[in-house]
Amino acid sequence: MTGMSRRTFLSLSTAVAAGAAATSLTGCGSAAKKSGEAASAKVKLPSYVPFTKIKPDLPPNAKGLSAGFLSYPEELVRSVAKTPGDGSNITMLTEIWTQPPTPKDSNGYWKAVDKNLGVDLTAILGTDPGYEQKFSAVIAGGDLPDLLWIPPNQGIQHIAELLEAKCADITKYVSGDAVKTYPNLAAMSPAHWKTAVVNGKIWGAPVPYPAFGQVYAGNPKVWAKADGLQSSSTEEFLDKCKEVTGGKTWALEPIYVNAVNVLCQSFGAPNKWRQNKDGSLTWFQETDEYTEALAFVLKLKQAGVFYPGNPKMADAYIKMAQGAIGATVHANPYNARNEIRVQDPELAAEIMIPFAAGGNKPNHHYHLGTIGYTAIKKGDEKRVRMLLRVLDYLAAPFGSKEREFLEYGTEGEDFTYDKNGFPTRTKQGKQEVEGLYSGLQTATTSPFALIASSFPGDERAQDVKDVYAAEQKLIETAVRNPVVGHYSDAYTQHYGRMSTEATDLVNDIVSGRKKIGEWKPFWAEWKNKGLEQMAREFQKSIEKSA
């Protein structure tokens, strides 16, 4: 998925905006209210049936390696046999990551979407930031949309109650081989579907996202004097940062919590939670490995290698492309290359692979694998199946006619093909297609692939090869978050405040306003304020699914 703001994924959670204000859902009722501790009862996940009509140039694998396409297919295939809708009105609550589209009444693409889906679509488009407030307001209104995007972490509470009270349990429609009725949804892996499981039931269509997590990307022109960004130790990394810092250039962007998040991978910190031998769970920020990474970032700050200014500055990528900053943190390897190409099409950012630090083997942190899922409003089976067919259309894969239409609209009006055969939106396409497609893609989409046409500039095929190579290296040490697919009421209740306070303390420590000795006591206090309860609930859920 492209076009998301950096705030969305460069947070403590690697999911969506840590520190968003907690949202309390009202009007959900208490009927069928169940504890989230039952989240992972033994539900049979959908069968995995990859889409095989288009063969990628670079093959994916089960560990998360992305498929790679070096060129645009000469012939597109059909992935949906017939129009999915039944002509009825449907409403969708989703989020957009770009400018809003032209309103429906004057938007030809929107009307074409209606025709191709076979529905009359009303899209309620939330924004970043602000989706949690939009979500709460819509739910409080009492009239639930037919399709409802539920993000993994925007401070939204009581999701389990909402699902049980007002949403359709789609387990019987998609569990096991039943999902083959919806072939594009069947192309999603079990890892994707796990994120849509609550209380032992499947509640929606996942929204696949790159499997990999946060990385540093470096401006190769800045790092050339230090023989590149790659390092083999903390000592070498610090020396390189000092070497490239000088004049009007600083080695690193000053978003300190992201620096610790990336560098704690080198120290072997767990991916959000560590599952101990006795089955208990430890939050990654309370580990010695994270504390060591924090101490190292403090050392980097004291060495003067961070760009001076506000740690939340929004123009870091621009300054990196200009050479004022040497390296910036990105949500994943694809974004690391793509987002800098957007700033400078001639700049091929170097992707840093975690090095060993503190005597530990590095752990690259996989992303959650999705950015949530889209649930379906309760209704009769005919209605639910129709909405599943609509979601199946939205999940059309790269190389299909449906995907080209969804992403680019109508040839000649919304897009044209460039000299390399890649679709390029026209002015009308940018106004009418871009914003609505962003929302449709947030609702659900096909498994992520590295596609040459998604990169700016003239080195698109090389970008695919370089990112693919970086993913191959990251896989060697990549570890998953053990609680993905499990639910904790305490987590949804307390995480937003906990992460905000933790981020503030990281900033205070690195900036010198507080001492690093305050870090461990902070987590000792949080054990009694919700952290221990989160761990117990996740542990119980994991044990029930064993």
Side-chain angles (χ1 to χ4, degrees):
M1 179 170 293
T2 59
M4 293 188 178
S5 78
R6 73 192 308 252
R7 186 188 79 91
T8 305
F9 290 99
L10 302 191
S11 64
L12 224 50
S13 67
T14 358
V16 187
T23 302
S24 178
L25 302 177
T26 59
C28 294
S30 58
K33 181 178 178 180
K34 298 183 179 181
S35 170
E37 293 177 358
S40 285
K42 294 182 180 179
V43 59
K44 185 175 184 181
L45 295 173
S47 299
Y48 175 47
V49 187
F51 185 79
T52 58
K53 292 182 181 179
I54 294 290
K55 184 178 180 180
D57 299 293
L58 304 172
N61 67 18
K63 293 184 178 180
L65 187 64
S66 303
F69 294 89
L70 303 179
S71 60
Y72 200 75
E74 293 183 5
E75 293 187 18
L76 303 178
V77 301
R78 287 283 182 194
S79 69
V80 175
K82 61 181 181 180
T83 303
D86 59 6
S88 64
N89 297 327
I90 70 170
T91 53
M92 171 192 293
L93 174 61
T94 184
E95 185 164 353
I96 59 173
W97 313 90
T98 183
Q99 292 298 313
T102 304
K104 182 173 182 175
D105 289 346
S106 55
N107 189 323
Y109 168 72
W110 199 322
K111 294 173 184 176
V113 167
D114 279 357
K115 180 180 178 181
N116 286 3
L117 291 179
V119 299
D120 185 353
L121 173 66
T122 298
I124 306 167
L125 304 174
T127 57
D128 172 42
Y131 184 76
E132 60 271 21
Q133 288 83 9
K134 173 79 77 172
F135 187 100
S136 181
V138 169
I139 302 306
D143 187 11
L144 198 72
D146 296 293
L147 299 171
L148 177 70
W149 177 60
I150 300 176
N153 188 6
Q154 282 201 15
I156 298 172
Q157 299 177 26
H158 310 305
I159 290 297
E161 291 96 323
L162 170 67
L163 294 171
E164 293 282 1
K166 295 201 171 186
C167 297
D169 171 8
I170 66 169
T171 308
K172 70 177 182 179
Y173 306 122
V174 299
S175 180
D177 288 345
V179 77
K180 292 180 181 179
T181 302
Y182 315 99
N184 292 333
L185 296 181
M188 298 181 188
S189 73
H192 294 137
W193 286 102
K194 278 184 177 181
T195 60
V197 174
V198 178
N199 288 349
K201 302 169 187 176
I202 304 171
W203 293 99
V207 190
Y209 193 76
F212 299 90
Q214 289 179 307
V215 294
Y216 262 123
N219 182 328
K221 297 176 183 178
V222 171
W223 295 93
K225 65 171 64 176
D227 295 324
L229 177 62
Q230 306 300 337
S231 302
S232 60
S233 65
T234 53
E235 292 78 14
E236 183 178 12
F237 184 71
L238 175 59
D239 287 344
K240 286 190 173 190
C241 288
K242 290 179 179 178
E243 188 172 355
V244 303
T245 298
K248 296 183 179 180
T249 298
W250 288 264
L252 306 174
E253 68 169 345
I255 303 179
Y256 307 132
V257 70
N258 290 332
V260 185
N261 248 19
V262 172
L263 291 169
C264 80
Q265 299 177 40
S266 289
F267 286 86
N271 186 351
K272 299 300 174 281
W273 294 91
R274 170 173 290 151
Q275 191 168 20
N276 303 308
K277 291 181 179 179
D278 62 358
S280 63
L281 295 165
T282 302
W283 180 242
F284 81 120
Q285 289 181 298
E286 59 174 323
T287 64
D288 291 339
E289 293 87 347
Y290 189 94
T291 306
E292 290 178 49
L294 177 58
F296 180 58
V297 170
L298 176 59
K299 190 173 183 179
L300 290 168
K301 171 66 174 176
Q302 292 169 342
V305 302
F306 283 105
Y307 184 90
N310 190 334
K312 296 180 181 179
M313 66 180 211
D315 60 349
Y317 294 170
I318 297 173
K319 293 185 180 299
M320 198 269 245
Q322 295 171 340
I325 292 175
T328 47
V329 176
H330 299 255
N332 53 62
Y334 163 78
N335 284 26
R337 179 59 65 90
N338 182 276
E339 289 169 341
I340 301 306
R341 285 283 196 203
V342 169
Q343 302 301 329
D344 182 352
E346 303 299 318
L347 195 62
E350 181 182 3
I351 299 167
M352 190 177 87
I353 308 302
F355 48 84
N360 300 318
K361 176 184 175 183
N363 287 335
H364 174 67
H365 295 170
Y366 278 120
H367 182 260
L368 295 173
T370 77
I371 59 160
Y373 55 93
T374 291
I376 296 174
K377 181 181 179 179
K378 275 187 178 178
D380 59 37
E381 180 170 339
K382 183 178 179 181
R383 179 76 174 174
V384 172
R385 284 192 176 278
M386 184 274 291
L387 293 169
L388 277 169
R389 292 195 300 271
V390 169
L391 291 170
D392 183 65
Y393 187 106
L394 297 182
F398 174 76
S400 69
K401 293 182 179 181
E402 296 83 6
R403 169 66 179 266
E404 181 182 79
F405 165 71
L406 287 169
E407 189 166 357
Y408 296 104
T410 302
E411 183 185 359
E413 297 177 12
D414 302 314
F415 79 93
T416 57
Y417 294 103
D418 67 14
K419 63 182 180 180
N420 297 313
F422 296 135
T424 302
R425 291 190 185 115
T426 61
K427 181 180 180 180
Q428 175 177 305
K430 290 180 180 179
Q431 293 172 340
E432 297 187 0
V433 177
E434 194 170 277
L436 181 56
Y437 174 65
S438 178
L440 297 176
Q441 190 185 30
T442 299
T444 192
T445 189
S446 59
F448 178 78
L450 297 168
I451 302 168
S453 58
S454 67
F455 290 95
D458 296 325
E459 301 297 327
R460 299 173 175 187
Q462 189 60 48
D463 287 336
V464 171
K465 293 177 183 178
D466 289 349
V467 176
Y468 187 84
E471 289 188 353
Q472 287 178 308
K473 293 177 182 177
L474 292 171
I475 277 178
E476 295 176 8
T477 62
V479 295
R480 299 189 184 277
N481 179 346
V483 309
V484 171
H486 298 274
Y487 186 85
S488 163
D489 286 323
Y491 184 83
T492 61
Q493 180 180 356
H494 299 298
Y495 175 75
R497 184 164 65 92
M498 183 181 80
S499 62
T500 298
E501 291 180 5
T503 298
D504 290 344
L505 183 53
V506 166
N507 289 334
D508 286 342
I509 290 171
V510 177
S511 299
R513 294 185 292 269
K514 292 187 178 180
K515 302 296 185 182
I516 196 168
E518 297 180 57
W519 185 248
K520 288 285 188 177
F522 171 84
W523 291 105
E525 290 180 11
W526 255 103
K527 277 189 175 296
N528 297 321
K529 293 194 294 185
L531 181 59
E532 192 169 354
Q533 186 182 357
M534 296 179 206
R536 285 198 309 267
E537 290 177 359
F538 278 130
Q539 180 184 354
K540 187 177 291 187
S541 178
I542 292 170
E543 289 172 350
K544 286 186 177 182
S545 66

